[in-house]
Amino acid sequence: MWLAPAGPRAAAHDFLLGLASTLVDRPTLTHDAAGRPHIPGLAVSITYTHHRLAVAASYDGPIGVDLEEIRPRDFRPLADRWFTPRELDWTARQPDRLTAFLRLWTAKEAVGKALGTGLHGSGLRREMPLGGGAVDRAPGVAVTYPPCPGAVLAVAAPLHAGVELSHFPSPTLDPACMRG
């Protein structure tokens, strides 16, 4: 990952503008009152950590990305508080429980970004599809997990009739994960 002197947020904005310039002419990046990025003609989303960043852009509708680095942490209190019984059971049955937790956590964040609500309005309690797929409580939105070594990257994007998740990324969905 390349970091501009202003930090990872500025780097993510530059990366997003670079991606957007391949999709629309002369993209202009603004932010709404909640701080969400906007580029006319595209749905966009950014996420970053200290060591990685990811951006996504779509012509087809709402999009959200979230990223968490895989590092040791005690995730159980968060999972116990915010995950549904079904999500807790699934996480407990996975061989790598940390990665399973991060998949559901980043999915919740990505869906909240795609819906424009963040985690407000019980976004953390919104049940996610186990392993990816259509989100029941967010009609028309699906979650997928593009490869991102050393991290978990979730992308929430429009699910169109006749389109399977295996077709993501598509020409209008361009997630990217950079590491440095």
Side-chain angles (χ1 to χ4, degrees):
M1 173 176 77
W2 133 85
L3 294 178
R9 185 171 191 254
H13 286 161
D14 288 346
F15 193 49
L16 178 59
L17 281 168
L19 172 62
S21 70
T22 68
L23 302 170
V24 296
D25 290 331
R26 293 184 298 244
T28 304
L29 176 64
T30 60
H31 293 84
D32 67 14
R36 290 184 300 263
H38 289 275
I39 294 178
L42 296 173
V44 298
S45 184
I46 67 171
T47 186
Y48 54 87
T49 66
H50 291 294
H51 300 103
R52 291 172 173 78
L53 66 86
V55 303
S58 172
Y59 296 117
D60 292 337
I63 190 151
V65 293
D66 193 60
L67 173 69
E68 287 284 340
E69 294 182 39
I70 299 172
R71 60 173 175 71
R73 64 185 91 185
D74 185 8
F75 60 87
R76 287 169 292 205
L78 286 172
D80 288 344
R81 180 172 180 184
W82 297 111
F83 284 10
T84 67
R86 185 171 169 245
E87 291 170 331
L88 286 170
D89 179 61
W90 179 81
T91 302
R93 290 184 287 112
Q94 300 309 302
D96 183 345
R97 292 181 181 144
L98 172 61
T99 299
F101 165 81
L102 292 174
R103 281 183 152 235
L104 292 174
W105 190 264
T106 57
K108 289 173 187 281
E109 291 262 11
V111 169
K113 288 179 178 182
L115 297 176
T117 61
L119 296 176
H120 301 292
S122 39
L124 282 172
R125 296 208 187 275
R126 183 182 299 114
E127 188 169 273
M128 291 294 106
L130 307 177
V135 181
D136 288 340
R137 290 185 47 207
V141 175
V143 174
T144 189
Y145 303 96
C148 188
V152 173
L153 173 64
V155 177
L159 179 63
H160 301 290
V163 176
E164 296 178 25
L165 282 177
S166 61
H167 292 136
F168 292 120
S170 74
T172 60
L173 173 65
D174 296 299
C177 181
M178 296 182 66
R179 178 177 181 257

PDB file of all heavy atoms in Angstrom, residues 43-62:
ATOM      1  N   ALA A  43     -21.596   4.573  -7.403  1.00  0.00           N
ATOM      2  CA  ALA A  43     -21.688   4.257  -5.974  1.00  0.00           C
ATOM      3  C   ALA A  43     -20.267   3.893  -5.568  1.00  0.00           C
ATOM      4  O   ALA A  43     -19.592   3.143  -6.282  1.00  0.00           O
ATOM      5  CB  ALA A  43     -22.632   3.089  -5.747  1.00  0.00           C
ATOM      6  N   VAL A  44     -19.779   4.446  -4.464  1.00  0.00           N
ATOM      7  CA  VAL A  44     -18.392   4.216  -4.062  1.00  0.00           C
ATOM      8  C   VAL A  44     -18.304   3.906  -2.571  1.00  0.00           C
ATOM      9  O   VAL A  44     -19.184   4.267  -1.791  1.00  0.00           O
ATOM     10  CB  VAL A  44     -17.476   5.415  -4.392  1.00  0.00           C
ATOM     11  CG1 VAL A  44     -17.447   5.666  -5.892  1.00  0.00           C
ATOM     12  CG2 VAL A  44     -17.897   6.667  -3.649  1.00  0.00           C
ATOM     13  N   SER A  45     -17.222   3.238  -2.201  1.00  0.00           N
ATOM     14  CA  SER A  45     -16.963   2.944  -0.802  1.00  0.00           C
ATOM     15  C   SER A  45     -15.459   2.796  -0.608  1.00  0.00           C
ATOM     16  O   SER A  45     -14.753   2.349  -1.515  1.00  0.00           O
ATOM     17  CB  SER A  45     -17.683   1.650  -0.393  1.00  0.00           C
ATOM     18  OG  SER A  45     -17.521   1.389   0.991  1.00  0.00           O
ATOM     19  N   ILE A  46     -14.988   3.183   0.579  1.00  0.00           N
ATOM     20  CA  ILE A  46     -13.579   3.017   0.923  1.00  0.00           C
ATOM     21  C   ILE A  46     -13.466   2.380   2.301  1.00  0.00           C
ATOM     22  O   ILE A  46     -14.382   2.473   3.125  1.00  0.00           O
ATOM     23  CB  ILE A  46     -12.802   4.352   0.920  1.00  0.00           C
ATOM     24  CG1 ILE A  46     -13.271   5.279   2.047  1.00  0.00           C
ATOM     25  CG2 ILE A  46     -12.903   5.030  -0.423  1.00  0.00           C
ATOM     26  CD1 ILE A  46     -12.406   6.515   2.235  1.00  0.00           C
ATOM     27  N   THR A  47     -12.344   1.741   2.541  1.00  0.00           N
ATOM     28  CA  THR A  47     -11.995   1.225   3.855  1.00  0.00           C
ATOM     29  C   THR A  47     -10.477   1.171   3.938  1.00  0.00           C
ATOM     30  O   THR A  47      -9.801   1.001   2.917  1.00  0.00           O
ATOM     31  CB  THR A  47     -12.619  -0.163   4.114  1.00  0.00           C
ATOM     32  OG1 THR A  47     -12.359  -0.556   5.470  1.00  0.00           O
ATOM     33  CG2 THR A  47     -12.097  -1.218   3.163  1.00  0.00           C
ATOM     34  N   TYR A  48      -9.976   1.336   5.143  1.00  0.00           N
ATOM     35  CA  TYR A  48      -8.522   1.269   5.310  1.00  0.00           C
ATOM     36  C   TYR A  48      -8.177   0.911   6.745  1.00  0.00           C
ATOM     37  O   TYR A  48      -8.968   1.099   7.667  1.00  0.00           O
ATOM     38  CB  TYR A  48      -7.848   2.585   4.916  1.00  0.00           C
ATOM     39  CG  TYR A  48      -8.405   3.798   5.620  1.00  0.00           C
ATOM     40  CD1 TYR A  48      -7.928   4.207   6.854  1.00  0.00           C
ATOM     41  CD2 TYR A  48      -9.438   4.531   5.042  1.00  0.00           C
ATOM     42  CE1 TYR A  48      -8.460   5.310   7.497  1.00  0.00           C
ATOM     43  CE2 TYR A  48      -9.973   5.637   5.680  1.00  0.00           C
ATOM     44  CZ  TYR A  48      -9.467   6.022   6.911  1.00  0.00           C
ATOM     45  OH  TYR A  48     -10.004   7.118   7.547  1.00  0.00           O
ATOM     46  N   THR A  49      -6.988   0.329   6.880  1.00  0.00           N
ATOM     47  CA  THR A  49      -6.402   0.049   8.172  1.00  0.00           C
ATOM     48  C   THR A  49      -5.047   0.758   8.172  1.00  0.00           C
ATOM     49  O   THR A  49      -4.742   1.524   7.255  1.00  0.00           O
ATOM     50  CB  THR A  49      -6.203  -1.464   8.382  1.00  0.00           C
ATOM     51  OG1 THR A  49      -5.222  -1.942   7.463  1.00  0.00           O
ATOM     52  CG2 THR A  49      -7.510  -2.231   8.191  1.00  0.00           C
ATOM     53  N   HIS A  50      -4.216   0.453   9.135  1.00  0.00           N
ATOM     54  CA  HIS A  50      -2.877   1.049   9.149  1.00  0.00           C
ATOM     55  C   HIS A  50      -2.006   0.528   8.004  1.00  0.00           C
ATOM     56  O   HIS A  50      -1.103   1.224   7.547  1.00  0.00           O
ATOM     57  CB  HIS A  50      -2.175   0.775  10.474  1.00  0.00           C
ATOM     58  CG  HIS A  50      -2.780   1.513  11.617  1.00  0.00           C
ATOM     59  ND1 HIS A  50      -2.750   2.878  11.727  1.00  0.00           N
ATOM     60  CD2 HIS A  50      -3.454   1.071  12.707  1.00  0.00           C
ATOM     61  CE1 HIS A  50      -3.363   3.251  12.824  1.00  0.00           C
ATOM     62  NE2 HIS A  50      -3.810   2.171  13.437  1.00  0.00           N
ATOM     63  N   HIS A  51      -2.289  -0.693   7.523  1.00  0.00           N
ATOM     64  CA  HIS A  51      -1.418  -1.323   6.530  1.00  0.00           C
ATOM     65  C   HIS A  51      -2.077  -1.669   5.207  1.00  0.00           C
ATOM     66  O   HIS A  51      -1.399  -2.114   4.290  1.00  0.00           O
ATOM     67  CB  HIS A  51      -0.820  -2.601   7.123  1.00  0.00           C
ATOM     68  CG  HIS A  51      -0.013  -2.345   8.352  1.00  0.00           C
ATOM     69  ND1 HIS A  51      -0.487  -2.606   9.616  1.00  0.00           N
ATOM     70  CD2 HIS A  51       1.207  -1.814   8.510  1.00  0.00           C
ATOM     71  CE1 HIS A  51       0.416  -2.264  10.506  1.00  0.00           C
ATOM     72  NE2 HIS A  51       1.456  -1.778   9.866  1.00  0.00           N
ATOM     73  N   ARG A  52      -3.378  -1.497   5.092  1.00  0.00           N
ATOM     74  CA  ARG A  52      -4.075  -1.888   3.876  1.00  0.00           C
ATOM     75  C   ARG A  52      -5.187  -0.897   3.572  1.00  0.00           C
ATOM     76  O   ARG A  52      -5.682  -0.218   4.463  1.00  0.00           O
ATOM     77  CB  ARG A  52      -4.694  -3.280   4.035  1.00  0.00           C
ATOM     78  CG  ARG A  52      -3.680  -4.386   4.100  1.00  0.00           C
ATOM     79  CD  ARG A  52      -4.363  -5.696   4.453  1.00  0.00           C
ATOM     80  NE  ARG A  52      -3.453  -6.808   4.358  1.00  0.00           N
ATOM     81  CZ  ARG A  52      -2.538  -7.112   5.262  1.00  0.00           C
ATOM     82  NH1 ARG A  52      -2.413  -6.395   6.340  1.00  0.00           N
ATOM     83  NH2 ARG A  52      -1.746  -8.137   5.101  1.00  0.00           N
ATOM     84  N   LEU A  53      -5.592  -0.891   2.298  1.00  0.00           N
ATOM     85  CA  LEU A  53      -6.764  -0.114   1.926  1.00  0.00           C
ATOM     86  C   LEU A  53      -7.488  -0.821   0.805  1.00  0.00           C
ATOM     87  O   LEU A  53      -6.902  -1.622   0.080  1.00  0.00           O
ATOM     88  CB  LEU A  53      -6.402   1.320   1.530  1.00  0.00           C
ATOM     89  CG  LEU A  53      -5.564   1.579   0.284  1.00  0.00           C
ATOM     90  CD1 LEU A  53      -6.438   1.659  -0.962  1.00  0.00           C
ATOM     91  CD2 LEU A  53      -4.807   2.865   0.465  1.00  0.00           C
ATOM     92  N   ALA A  54      -8.774  -0.556   0.717  1.00  0.00           N
ATOM     93  CA  ALA A  54      -9.589  -1.115  -0.358  1.00  0.00           C
ATOM     94  C   ALA A  54     -10.620  -0.071  -0.751  1.00  0.00           C
ATOM     95  O   ALA A  54     -11.094   0.692   0.089  1.00  0.00           O
ATOM     96  CB  ALA A  54     -10.283  -2.406   0.084  1.00  0.00           C
ATOM     97  N   VAL A  55     -10.925  -0.041  -2.032  1.00  0.00           N
ATOM     98  CA  VAL A  55     -11.957   0.844  -2.555  1.00  0.00           C
ATOM     99  C   VAL A  55     -12.832   0.027  -3.493  1.00  0.00           C
ATOM    100  O   VAL A  55     -12.403  -0.996  -4.028  1.00  0.00           O
ATOM    101  CB  VAL A  55     -11.364   2.071  -3.307  1.00  0.00           C
ATOM    102  CG1 VAL A  55     -10.433   2.853  -2.400  1.00  0.00           C
ATOM    103  CG2 VAL A  55     -10.635   1.671  -4.572  1.00  0.00           C
ATOM    104  N   ALA A  56     -14.052   0.483  -3.687  1.00  0.00           N
ATOM    105  CA  ALA A  56     -14.946  -0.178  -4.634  1.00  0.00           C
ATOM    106  C   ALA A  56     -15.811   0.888  -5.292  1.00  0.00           C
ATOM    107  O   ALA A  56     -16.126   1.912  -4.687  1.00  0.00           O
ATOM    108  CB  ALA A  56     -15.824  -1.206  -3.926  1.00  0.00           C
ATOM    109  N   ALA A  57     -16.172   0.619  -6.533  1.00  0.00           N
ATOM    110  CA  ALA A  57     -17.037   1.518  -7.288  1.00  0.00           C
ATOM    111  C   ALA A  57     -17.983   0.668  -8.127  1.00  0.00           C
ATOM    112  O   ALA A  57     -17.608  -0.397  -8.608  1.00  0.00           O
ATOM    113  CB  ALA A  57     -16.204   2.432  -8.190  1.00  0.00           C
ATOM    114  N   SER A  58     -19.199   1.148  -8.277  1.00  0.00           N
ATOM    115  CA  SER A  58     -20.203   0.412  -9.030  1.00  0.00           C
ATOM    116  C   SER A  58     -21.102   1.379  -9.789  1.00  0.00           C
ATOM    117  O   SER A  58     -21.471   2.418  -9.257  1.00  0.00           O
ATOM    118  CB  SER A  58     -21.056  -0.432  -8.071  1.00  0.00           C
ATOM    119  OG  SER A  58     -22.148  -1.014  -8.743  1.00  0.00           O
ATOM    120  N   TYR A  59     -21.447   1.013 -11.006  1.00  0.00           N
ATOM    121  CA  TYR A  59     -22.458   1.759 -11.747  1.00  0.00           C
ATOM    122  C   TYR A  59     -23.857   1.326 -11.315  1.00  0.00           C
ATOM    123  O   TYR A  59     -24.825   2.042 -11.520  1.00  0.00           O
ATOM    124  CB  TYR A  59     -22.389   1.446 -13.247  1.00  0.00           C
ATOM    125  CG  TYR A  59     -21.140   1.843 -13.964  1.00  0.00           C
ATOM    126  CD1 TYR A  59     -20.333   0.875 -14.536  1.00  0.00           C
ATOM    127  CD2 TYR A  59     -20.778   3.176 -14.116  1.00  0.00           C
ATOM    128  CE1 TYR A  59     -19.194   1.213 -15.239  1.00  0.00           C
ATOM    129  CE2 TYR A  59     -19.640   3.524 -14.820  1.00  0.00           C
ATOM    130  CZ  TYR A  59     -18.852   2.541 -15.383  1.00  0.00           C
ATOM    131  OH  TYR A  59     -17.729   2.883 -16.073  1.00  0.00           O
ATOM    132  N   ASP A  60     -23.951   0.107 -10.795  1.00  0.00           N
ATOM    133  CA  ASP A  60     -25.232  -0.577 -10.642  1.00  0.00           C
ATOM    134  C   ASP A  60     -25.988  -0.350  -9.348  1.00  0.00           C
ATOM    135  O   ASP A  60     -27.054  -0.903  -9.185  1.00  0.00           O
ATOM    136  CB  ASP A  60     -25.016  -2.086 -10.798  1.00  0.00           C
ATOM    137  CG  ASP A  60     -24.641  -2.461 -12.216  1.00  0.00           C
ATOM    138  OD1 ASP A  60     -24.956  -1.699 -13.127  1.00  0.00           O
ATOM    139  OD2 ASP A  60     -24.024  -3.521 -12.386  1.00  0.00           O
ATOM    140  N   GLY A  61     -25.467   0.385  -8.439  1.00  0.00           N
ATOM    141  CA  GLY A  61     -26.213   0.597  -7.213  1.00  0.00           C
ATOM    142  C   GLY A  61     -25.335   0.614  -5.994  1.00  0.00           C
ATOM    143  O   GLY A  61     -24.113   0.695  -6.104  1.00  0.00           O
ATOM    144  N   PRO A  62     -25.929   0.489  -4.838  1.00  0.00           N
ATOM    145  CA  PRO A  62     -25.187   0.668  -3.597  1.00  0.00           C
ATOM    146  C   PRO A  62     -24.053  -0.339  -3.459  1.00  0.00           C
ATOM    147  O   PRO A  62     -24.172  -1.484  -3.886  1.00  0.00           O
ATOM    148  CB  PRO A  62     -26.243   0.461  -2.516  1.00  0.00           C
ATOM    149  CG  PRO A  62     -27.313  -0.340  -3.148  1.00  0.00           C
ATOM    150  CD  PRO A  62     -27.299   0.055  -4.601  1.00  0.00           C
TER     151      PRO A  62
END
